[in-house]
Amino acid sequence: MGSDHLPSAVSAKEIDEYVKSEMGASATTERVHQGFARCVTPYELCGLRPGGYISGPTIMQLSDLAAWVAVFTHAGIVPMAVTWDLHVTFLRPAIGGDLIAEATVNKFGRMTQITVMIYVSPDESKPVATASVTYAVPSR
């Protein structure tokens, strides 16, 4: 796990510990820096369809989690930041490896806009899905 320093002084390790304690998430926060988060769900913990395909709900769940973590890179850990909108476009079957979501904050504010690219390891050259996520961030 990375521990990149953030203006809000929240590291990947701190975020990972918070998410796991509050949600019991199977994903790991692997790397963060301001406006970016990389989260990974091991293949063996993914919800699978027949044939070993990673399910759409698993992809949506990791997309939402990575977006939430990306919000933390700007605001610190804000538990009440909530999903306002989540749109996923599935590009190709997700099969064969760990599920990886890389979230990038496009616009931070009360309504934060995030793009998430979803990959399956080891081939991270072509995404299996993309997500557009909007988070409502409470004022502090």
Side-chain angles (χ1 to χ4, degrees):
M1 279 186 268
S3 60
D4 302 341
H5 184 270
L6 304 172
S8 59
V10 180
S11 69
K13 181 179 179 185
E14 291 169 314
I15 291 170
D16 196 53
E17 288 171 357
Y18 173 78
V19 169
K20 286 183 176 168
S21 72
E22 291 298 313
M23 299 178 58
S26 57
T28 298
T29 302
E30 201 173 75
R31 185 171 63 239
V32 295
H33 56 80
Q34 189 169 22
F36 177 83
R38 179 181 166 103
C39 298
V40 178
T41 299
Y43 182 72
E44 61 273 4
L45 298 178
C46 289
L48 300 177
R49 300 267 192 232
Y53 292 91
I54 298 172
S55 69
T58 300
I59 291 169
M60 290 184 279
Q61 181 181 23
L62 186 61
S63 299
D64 186 49
L65 177 68
W68 193 43
V69 169
V71 168
F72 295 170
T73 70
H74 274 279
I77 295 176
V78 184
M80 293 311 298
V82 295
T83 310
W84 184 266
D85 183 61
L86 172 68
H87 177 84
V88 177
T89 301
F90 300 96
L91 304 172
R92 61 187 183 95
I95 188 168
D98 296 346
L99 192 63
I100 300 159
E102 294 185 340
T104 303
V105 174
N106 301 321
K107 177 185 164 228
F108 181 77
R110 192 177 73 75
M111 299 302 280
T112 298
Q113 298 171 349
I114 304 146
T115 299
V116 184
M117 303 300 290
I118 302 96
Y119 306 92
V120 173
S121 67
D123 181 10
E124 295 181 45
S125 65
K126 296 183 286 187
V128 296
T130 63
S132 175
V133 187
T134 302
Y135 256 79
V137 180
S139 48
R140 293 192 130 192

